[in-house]
Amino acid sequence: MIGRRRLLAGALGFAAPALLAREALASAPRQLSLVNLHTGEKLAATYFEGGRYVPDALAALDRVLRDHRTGEVHPMAPGLLDLVAGLAGQVGRPGAVQVISGYRSPASNAALHANSSGVATRSLHMQGMAMDIRIPGVSLARLRDTALALGRGGVGYYPDSDFVHVDVGKVRQW
């Protein structure tokens, strides 16, 4: 009969490599390449390095993702950046992620809502928790399906407007 201590030591021996691999992945550098289609600004940034988010890189991403109508800059949720970077990685990252909409000020969101039933009154864009994107060379259907498979937030499919909405709110789709 195997002793309890020996059994625990054996179990830890099997679990340790998996835990170390997960920890290494969690602390691996994270990069994102974006182009804002309204301003033409491009940015490739390593926004997570050494197990920490990089404040200067986050600020640069916030600026590129600002409300292009008002110029207002708002902090974007790091989890959203992780989601978009992960999504780009899953589809093979053939080019920079094209951003149709990042942060939206309440005034911009209200104006858009007044002209479109497709804009939520309490949009997560106003909290820096949503982006409308596309990736050159990747079909919108594949982008949508990959985002849904990640299961990390909301996914809206807008083929007529040529973008996919992703957010870090509740998991849902439309």
Side-chain angles (χ1 to χ4, degrees), residues 1-95:
M1 190 175 233
I2 298 175
R4 202 165 110 195
R5 286 187 181 159
R6 190 169 176 194
L7 181 63
L8 284 173
L12 287 175
F14 283 116
L19 291 173
L20 289 174
R22 181 181 288 164
E23 186 177 309
L25 185 59
S27 64
R30 298 177 203 156
Q31 302 168 337
L32 195 52
S33 180
L34 302 175
V35 59
N36 183 317
L37 296 181
H38 292 285
T39 65
E41 292 169 286
K42 297 176 183 179
L43 177 66
T46 299
Y47 67 92
F48 184 91
E49 197 167 38
R52 299 177 193 270
Y53 288 99
V54 180
D56 290 345
L58 292 177
L61 287 162
D62 293 345
R63 175 139 178 79
V64 170
L65 294 167
R66 72 187 177 280
D67 184 331
H68 70 274
R69 294 166 190 85
T70 67
E72 187 176 335
V73 177
H74 186 277
M76 299 302 287
L80 176 64
L81 302 175
D82 292 341
L83 171 62
V84 173
L87 184 55
Q90 287 288 317
V91 297
R93 196 179 298 189

Side-chain angles (χ1 to χ4, degrees), residues 83 144-155 167 169-172:
L83 171 62
R144 174 205 56 208
D145 293 347
T146 305
L148 288 170
L150 290 175
R152 293 174 56 194
V155 179
D167 67 51
K170 292 187 292 188
V171 175
R172 64 210 188 288

Side-chain angles (χ1 to χ4, degrees), residues 149-165:
L150 290 175
R152 293 174 56 194
V155 179
Y157 182 55
Y158 297 92
D160 292 339
S161 299
D162 197 25
F163 69 85
V164 171
H165 166 100

